[in-house]
Amino acid sequence: MKKKDEKNTDLLPINRLFRSLSQSIRKVDNQIKKNIQDEEKLITLAASHLINAEGKKLRPVLTLLFSRLLKYRGKAQYNLAVCIEFIHNATLLHDDVIDGGKLRRGKKSANLIWGNKISVLVGDYLLSKAFKLMVADKSIKVLQILSETSLILARGQIQDVNNLYKIDLSEKKYLSIINSKTAELFRVSCYLPSIISDQPKNIQKSLNSFGYHFGMAFQLSDDILDYFGKSKKLGKMIGKDFYEGKVTYPIIHAYRNTSSLNKKRLKKFFLKKKRSKKDFIDTLSIMESCNTHIESIKFLNKYLKKAKTAVLKFEGSRDKVYLDALVEYLHIRDK
Amino acid sequence: MKKKDEKNTDLLPINRLFRSLSQSIRKVDNQIKKNIQDEEKLITLAASHLINAEGKKLRPVLTLLFSRLLKYRGKAQYNLAVCIEFIHNATLLHDDVIDGGKLRRGKKSANLIWGNKISVLVGDYLLSKAFKLMVADKSIKVLQILSETSLILARGQIQDVNNLYKIDLSEKKYLSIINSKTAELFRVSCYLPSIISDQPKNIQKSLNSFGYHFGMAFQLSDDILDYFGKSKKLGKMIGKDFYEGKVTYPIIHAYRNTSSLNKKRLKKFFLKKKRSKKDFIDTLSIMESCNTHIESIKFLNKYLKKAKTAVLKFEGSRDKVYLDALVEYLHIRDK
């Protein structure tokens, strides 16, 4: 018999979603495994280290969920889900090189084990493999969208690096960066099922809007958790953005809403080469005084609300419940 | 009036080739410039730093030359040449991160100026842009070939890193690595013009064979020059492979042909974390005693001869003279 706790977890709508898609997810997992088998064993090893780590695979799940919602029965959805996960993992590998990140999904990051060299090249391998898989499906439209997405992701990551330490980063620029580096891939994960299943424009638009707003909310939520989350639950260190000098929503909010004395202090922190633990604690207390946590969640919720609104037309469908569950998942993890 | 030296240089067949293609090369250059213009100025800056450096752009030149040889009049050749140059430059950027290379084409390498972060990401940007450009031409066949090539390049670079310090690397494995990391892109640079111009199989085969053998010769030549070339002429430091612990043809030759005492010394050098200048000089003297320079050139010449043979059927065409000039160029730069 199951323990009471397990039962309760099973009942969470997000887990029911994963269970309801388990067959399709398994298909995607198998295709991922198959496609990282290479004559060069190191490639298989490094790629599977990352991909087998217990990530939620949210992007492929969105692709599978929308495909089912639209009653698409073809095989292109699996291929698409694999491509999207490969593109995502390629950016993770390159992101780890970039940020010197030490924990990724609770495991040692690939660059700590094999070095920067292999991380970069296995990322290249996954990106190339994604393109190869896309080409196999011979859909020029999908290729157009995903090659543009891949370009936007690279631009977003470059902007992310190029705006480190800029305490006066505008909210507008910040939103544009997280759109490129994160929301874009969520957007196409949701939007592409409407392309492969030839949906009318209004359906395409709904999925596009859900994906964009959900993706924005996802990054906002991550950025909020980096200040207010619990390290163990996240599988990565808290305060990472702060120590790296990355300017995210909570900092932008606090900097805009605090006294000019505190502004100067925040500015000083971000001009330093290294920020100390004390700097972080001081920053948290400035945030406390500005109500940054609650205000950030309010800001996040605007995106979640728009995501929900975008798919209102699917009311009545079983899968609409799961879309709501995904939105709810981002909402509660920030509480 | 031109000086005598300049005149003599003008008369070199390889320079006449570049001159005869100058209009097409300019078109490619313009498309390159256009395609690295980005709203994020850092991308334009970092990408043009690399691409404007005075590289010979051999790969795009091969694409243009074979297109002309086959009397192809379409525009796809320019796009193709740009894609190939972008893919090549993406690997250079990632290679610089990997090897900690300091000089690239006689200039400071990008990672020294902007750091590893930006080098990796601008590489990703160029690779994504290459795919986007390819997709624009809507040729599934070209996409299939180039996405496979991109995968093979990544694999080759991974194998390159994974076989550092292995003094007992077999000639067979070495050849397989240089095929993946270098010859493959040369091969498709030559082969693809036969695809876009719908040539019969025997023509496709000739171009494929020329590209493969020329590409192998190109890397062999590079590897030989790394021991026996002149630093200034190369635009990069001599002995770079040795200091990095990269096992290339000259080392494989010397290790196979020297006394067991010298074998032990070479082995010791490649087991060290860092190889000294004295180690390099000792290695050169071991190579001297095995006739490694001459034997390596003989080995290289086998590939050059096969490249020439592959295009014998074009005898009589003006462009055949230029193909011979390219082969001759690899031959003489190693003397």
Side-chain angles (χ1 to χ4, degrees), chain A residues 262-312:
Chain A
N262 280 339
K263 263 195 179 62
K264 273 186 195 150
R265 287 169 70 207
L266 288 175
K267 196 165 196 165
K268 216 183 80 194
F269 294 159
F270 276 81
L271 283 173
K272 285 164 82 171
K273 246 192 165 165
K274 274 193 165 188
R275 278 144 297 284
S276 67
K277 184 142 192 196
K278 190 183 169 304
D279 298 339
F280 185 57
I281 291 165
D282 286 357
T283 301
L284 283 177
S285 107
I286 292 172
M287 286 179 173
E288 174 107 38
S289 73
C290 310
N291 231 359
T292 295
H293 190 189
I294 290 170
E295 291 302 322
S296 300
I297 289 179
K298 270 192 201 161
F299 191 73
L300 157 71
N301 283 342
K302 279 190 208 164
Y303 283 91
L304 290 176
K305 201 175 162 194
K306 282 187 182 161
K308 273 186 106 159
T309 308
V311 290
L312 270 181

Side-chain angles (χ1 to χ4, degrees), chain A residues 159 162, chain B residues 36-48:
Chain A
Q159 291 175 324
N162 203 22
Chain B
I36 54 176
Q37 289 300 327
D38 193 275
E39 56 179 75
E40 181 60 49
K41 288 302 154 236
L42 181 58
I43 293 174
T44 314
L45 203 67
S48 56

Side-chain angles (χ1 to χ4, degrees), chain A residues 5 20 23 54 59 87 146 188 196 203 207 225 231 249 276 290 296 299 329:
Chain A
D5 268 11
S20 85
Q23 255 190 314
E54 281 153 32
R59 296 159 194 80
I87 293 176
L146 277 175
V188 297
I196 56 173
I203 300 287
L207 270 54
L225 285 169
S231 174
Y249 191 79
S276 67
C290 310
S296 300
F299 191 73
Y329 165 69

Side-chain angles (χ1 to χ4, degrees), chain B residues 93-137:
Chain B
L93 276 165
H94 289 184
D95 199 46
D96 274 345
V97 171
I98 293 154
D99 296 333
K102 293 201 174 101
L103 280 178
R104 170 70 67 187
R105 294 176 182 167
K107 275 183 154 189
K108 260 190 172 181
S109 69
N111 64 330
L112 269 193
I113 304 176
W114 291 285
N116 269 349
K117 309 180 185 202
I118 297 299
S119 290
V120 172
L121 295 172
V122 173
D124 292 350
Y125 182 89
L126 289 177
L127 191 59
S128 306
K129 195 65 165 229
F131 279 111
K132 204 187 145 182
L133 289 171
M134 277 178 243
V135 173
D137 271 356

Side-chain angles (χ1 to χ4, degrees), chain A residues 307-320:
Chain A
K308 273 186 106 159
T309 308
V311 290
L312 270 181
K313 61 163 66 80
F314 300 114
E315 200 61 65
S317 147
R318 178 187 65 156
D319 286 325
K320 168 65 165 59

Side-chain angles (χ1 to χ4, degrees), chain B residues 56-73:
Chain B
K56 278 220 152 29
K57 298 204 178 70
L58 268 185
R59 296 159 194 80
V61 162
L62 283 165
T63 301
L64 297 172
L65 179 58
F66 276 110
S67 296
R68 189 172 69 186
L69 175 76
L70 299 172
K71 303 194 175 16
Y72 175 76
R73 307 232 181 271

Side-chain angles (χ1 to χ4, degrees), chain B residues 245-276:
Chain B
K246 199 173 275 183
V247 176
T248 60
Y249 191 79
I251 281 289
I252 293 172
H253 178 271
Y255 188 71
R256 195 168 50 192
N257 291 287
T258 195
S259 66
S260 58
L261 187 70
N262 280 338
K263 264 194 176 63
K264 272 185 196 152
R265 286 170 68 206
L266 288 175
K267 196 166 196 166
K268 217 182 79 192
F269 295 158
F270 276 81
L271 282 174
K272 285 165 80 172
K273 245 193 166 166
K274 274 193 165 187
R275 279 145 296 285
S276 68

